[in-house]
Amino acid sequence: MATQLSSRLFHKIKQGGTRWFYSYNRCIVSDKQSLSKHLKREVHDIEQVSSQCPSPWMLQAGVCLIRLPLIEEDLSEFQKRYISLKEQMEYENSILNEWELEKIKQTQLMNDIESGKRDASEMDFKVSKQDYEDDYNQAFKEFTESTTELDLNDADFKNINRRPKDYLVLISKQKLGNDTVWMLPTEEWKEEENLRQSAERALTSHCGTLVDASFVSNAPSGFYKYKFPKNARTDAYVGAKLFIYNAFVPRVSETQSTATFNLDIDLNKMLDYAWVAKDEMRNFLKPKYSKAIDEIIF
Amino acid sequence: MYILYLWCKHVLQFFVAVLLSLIRGPKIKDKNMSLSCTWHLWGKSFRVGKCLPAISNSLRHYRNRPTHNIGRMHGLEKPKPPPVRKKEVGTWKPEEYKAVKENHLDALNFIVSGYDIVLVEQYAKYVHQLMIKFKQNILEVYALPSSNAVVKKMLGADQRLLKAMTPEIELTMYKRIIQVKDMPSQTYPILLQTLMHYIPQSITLKVDKHNEEQHLSRYQYRVELAEEKAMLQQLYDSR
């Protein structure tokens, strides 16, 4: 009877159906160890594998050319309230500085001289601190900024300075078969080059060689896989795998806040272009495509 | 009454164990069973040859213990069997590829510069903390001497110099440097892009490789050394 009982217990543990908590002492060690003995991992060379079984996916490299925001975002209500509170606290806890002490002394002295308590010879300054302050305030009123204003025409999609507080991405209208599709500038990967080199080639072939964008890494930042429409599918390719590389429009100088962009469009490839913010992308691109780009941009 | 009940139970168990051991004999096949145990009954201990913990309480509930109701599946869903695949699916076996050797970048200088010292210091602090959090090898964090730019106001014909105002304004440029070594080439783009996102307005971030020149620019101009060098050069030329 004892052996029967024990075997039943054993069976239960194996099944894993119920937990018998005094059985943890006798739990069988799982099969993980035995697996490693039998399956040996073979190390392959990439070229060997790819020649043996070519994949039906065309490899493409795309460029996500990003224009960084030109101006800081507005503070939220909470931030404004907190900042004003902090400033108030700092002001209330502060001590008068030398300038303010001098100013108080001088005004006191002038009042005393006027009322006759003190002699006029005690004045040891020509221009009082209060006069300085009045001059400064007046200069501030008269001051005009000599810098050019940003053209805030947010409706023009081709203007690189639109929506100065947001991240903008360049998208282009290209031909895919018979249709025109809005997508990132892409190029097919060729055998001799890196993915990054093909991304750079995509940028120069679509936007011209004058664009001085800087790529950040050798590895792609995003990925998007799509199938061609059934007309365009061949024996070799079912669809394409797009590897997206980040590139940034460079800052022209430390003093200027506007961005400039020298486009030399190849009209065969790029029919139209637009600088598009994150929330506007859905109007142009397919939802999954825009989601893939969303994950790249902040 | 409860004590009596306990006592009776213990005694019963003892006798059952004794009986069974007598019936079955000393050999038990299952190795996992404990070979001997002692029964304690009010100070006295009775040794039984082979005892069977399997018989001990599995029906009690121990409701005041936290392990109460472990394993209870009443009212819960039973685990469903995996859905039957109608399509033929090939098994995918992951194949190991030769990995590329890790590439580490040489010493990099992250230079934070701007006119507002508060922003410069706060942002440099942020850069430093980010490097610490990513466990990078930070060599040095230092400040370069600030450079003054003097701005002279050119007054127009209709403008007058107010009695208190000076025509010259001094702008000082502040710089802080964070030097990082052996950053893996995968993390560098990630960190760079986060830094680009969080940079405040009017601050510039520049990333350079560390040179001899940059290293020497930290040192002050040595007057005596320069004089002696000039003398040596003169001697050499006069030969």
Side-chain angles (χ1 to χ4, degrees):
Chain A
M1 187 183 150
T3 44
Q4 275 181 15
L5 265 175
S6 67
S7 64
R8 212 199 300 163
L9 226 194
F10 232 61
H11 196 57
K12 285 268 180 184
I13 295 164
K14 264 192 178 173
Q15 273 183 352
T18 55
R19 243 185 278 165
W20 297 67
F21 37 88
Y22 47 78
S23 67
Y24 65 85
N25 287 327
R26 339 168 180 173
C27 214
I28 307 162
V29 171
S30 65
D31 290 318
K32 284 179 195 170
Q33 288 175 0
S34 58
L35 261 182
S36 65
K37 284 185 214 167
H38 300 300
L39 286 177
K40 274 188 189 172
R41 288 205 156 181
E42 298 169 33
V43 178
H44 295 277
D45 215 2
I46 298 173
E47 289 144 18
Q48 208 184 45
V49 172
S50 64
S51 60
Q52 281 170 9
C53 38
S55 69
W57 299 96
M58 182 202 283
L59 294 181
Q60 291 178 340
V63 180
C64 183
L65 187 62
I66 297 173
R67 190 226 62 189
L68 295 167
L70 304 170
I71 295 178
E72 268 186 348
E73 278 182 7
D74 287 334
L75 298 170
S76 67
E77 275 301 314
F78 176 74
Q79 282 175 324
K80 284 181 194 167
R81 275 166 40 210
Y82 183 72
I83 284 170
S84 64
L85 176 69
K86 271 290 206 180
E87 281 179 1
Q88 195 185 354
M89 280 171 71
E90 208 180 293
Y91 183 72
E92 285 175 11
N93 289 333
S94 63
I95 310 169
L96 292 170
N97 62 9
E98 282 179 11
W99 181 279
E100 287 174 328
L101 286 170
E102 272 291 315
K103 197 170 80 172
I104 289 168
K105 251 201 236 172
Q106 285 172 5
T107 47
Q108 191 66 42
L109 184 64
M110 298 230 283
N111 290 337
D112 286 344
I113 289 168
E114 275 179 39
S115 63
K117 284 183 193 174
R118 284 201 210 168
D119 205 23
S121 59
E122 286 186 34
M123 254 180 65
D124 54 344
F125 53 88
K126 285 182 186 172
V127 189
S128 71
K129 305 271 181 186
Q130 188 63 55
D131 292 337
Y132 277 111
E133 280 194 15
D134 293 336
D135 282 345
Y136 293 151
N137 287 331
Q138 185 155 19
F140 182 64
K141 279 182 196 169
E142 290 174 5
F143 179 70
T144 51
E145 289 192 28
S146 60
T147 51
T148 51
E149 275 187 27
L150 294 170
D151 21 322
L152 294 172
N153 183 12
D154 284 352
D156 180 20
F157 283 105
K158 302 205 177 182
N159 180 16
I160 195 176
N161 292 320
R162 69 183 288 262
R163 290 191 65 164
K165 292 173 192 169
D166 295 312
Y167 279 82
L168 295 186
V169 173
L170 179 76
I171 55 169
S172 62
K173 202 174 191 179
Q174 292 165 35
K175 279 189 215 167
L176 248 193
N178 291 326
D179 303 320
T180 54
V181 171
W182 280 99
M183 47 191 223
L184 298 175
T186 50
E187 278 288 336
E188 196 186 325
W189 170 73
K190 286 181 188 168
E191 287 280 327
E192 295 88 33
E193 58 180 10
N194 288 341
L195 268 179
R196 176 176 165 163
Q197 283 169 354
S198 47
E200 286 170 352
R201 189 162 56 89
L203 186 65
T204 51
S205 66
H206 285 251
C207 306
T209 47
L210 293 172
V211 172
D212 192 21
S214 43
F215 282 81
V216 172
S217 71
N218 287 332
S221 355
F223 175 72
Y224 177 64
K225 192 167 94 175
Y226 64 100
K227 284 185 181 171
F228 296 140
K230 286 193 178 174
N231 310 330
R233 279 183 215 178
T234 59
D235 286 337
Y237 295 126
V238 169
K241 287 184 177 177
L242 174 64
F243 295 93
I244 306 171
Y245 277 80
N246 270 358
F248 293 93
V249 174
R251 190 170 173 188
V252 174
S253 70
E254 288 185 10
T255 50
Q256 269 190 321
S257 60
T258 54
T260 54
F261 186 59
N262 300 319
L263 257 189
D264 184 23
I265 307 173
D266 181 7
L267 281 168
N268 296 328
K269 296 202 173 181
M270 203 149 99
L271 304 169
D272 197 11
Y273 71 98
W275 288 99
V276 142
K278 215 173 176 180
D279 44 346
E280 294 162 346
M281 266 199 273
R282 296 233 158 180
N283 302 336
F284 291 83
L285 307 168
K286 287 183 185 174
K288 283 189 181 178
Y289 202 110
S290 63
K291 192 187 170 189
I293 301 175
D294 267 1
E295 288 168 0
I296 302 173
I297 321 171
F298 270 98
Chain B
M1 275 307 293
Y2 182 60
I3 295 168
L4 229 180
Y5 158 74
L6 278 179
W7 184 84
C8 289
K9 208 168 68 167
H10 273 297
V11 166
L12 230 180
Q13 282 172 3
F14 169 67
F15 277 122
V16 163
V18 165
L19 261 175
L20 283 173
S21 63
L22 287 171
I23 292 164
R24 306 214 60 255
K27 287 181 189 170
I28 292 182
K29 286 178 190 175
D30 196 346
K31 289 184 189 172
N32 290 330
M33 299 277 187
S34 58
L35 292 172
S36 68
C37 68
T38 55
W39 291 83
H40 294 273
L41 211 61
W42 282 324
K44 295 180 188 174
S45 56
F46 305 87
R47 232 161 174 274
V48 178
K50 323 282 180 183
C51 80
L52 307 160
I55 293 176
S56 66
N57 293 311
S58 58
L59 303 171
R60 270 196 65 181
H61 284 272
Y62 296 93
R63 284 182 297 169
N64 59 348
R65 306 280 172 86
T67 49
H68 177 57
N69 274 342
I70 268 183
R72 182 175 150 90
M73 297 290 282
H74 177 72
L76 302 172
E77 276 186 8
K78 287 177 189 171
K80 291 178 187 169
V84 178
R85 276 185 182 271
K86 287 177 189 173
K87 256 195 208 174
E88 266 188 17
V89 176
T91 48
W92 176 74
K93 289 173 196 166
E95 289 158 343
E96 276 191 23
Y97 295 103
K98 281 188 211 167
V100 180
K101 271 188 194 175
E102 266 195 33
N103 185 25
H104 291 272
L105 300 169
D106 285 338
L108 288 176
N109 281 342
F110 289 83
I111 306 168
V112 178
S113 59
Y115 291 106
D116 188 354
I117 192 169
V118 175
L119 286 178
V120 167
E121 290 202 326
Q122 289 286 323
Y123 187 64
K125 187 178 163 185
Y126 171 72
V127 174
H128 187 46
Q129 286 295 323
L130 197 74
M131 295 301 154
I132 290 169
K133 284 205 172 173
F134 276 77
K135 293 174 187 169
Q136 299 302 320
N137 179 15
I138 300 164
L139 289 179
E140 283 173 48
V141 178
Y142 58 89
L144 283 180
S146 58
S147 60
N148 289 2
V150 177
V151 178
K152 283 192 177 174
K153 286 191 84 165
M154 305 298 286
L155 300 167
D158 33 321
Q159 281 180 327
R160 57 176 174 80
L161 180 64
L162 293 163
K163 58 178 163 174
M165 279 167 56
T166 50
E168 286 179 0
I169 300 165
E170 256 188 37
L171 286 173
T172 48
M173 174 75 107
Y174 301 97
K175 285 188 184 179
R176 299 283 183 274
I177 292 184
I178 295 103
Q179 210 174 82
V180 181
K181 202 184 176 188
D182 284 342
M183 193 184 267
S185 58
Q186 307 107 307
T187 52
Y188 170 69
I190 298 167
L191 289 178
L192 186 69
Q193 284 179 71
T194 48
L195 290 175
M196 281 158 78
H197 178 66
Y198 286 110
I199 201 166
Q201 211 166 308
S202 81
I203 299 285
T204 38
L205 173 72
K206 196 177 169 193
V207 186
D208 267 341
K209 285 186 189 174
H210 190 58
N211 290 336
E212 266 294 305
E213 291 172 21
Q214 286 198 358
H215 178 68
L216 290 173
S217 68
R218 291 184 72 189
Y219 294 103
Q220 276 187 333
Y221 178 69
R222 299 275 203 78
V223 177
E224 289 166 353
L225 245 186
E227 284 177 6
E228 283 176 16
K229 269 190 181 175
M231 276 166 59
L232 272 174
Q233 193 67 31
Q234 272 183 1
L235 281 172
Y236 185 70
D237 290 338
S238 65
R239 256 203 236 167

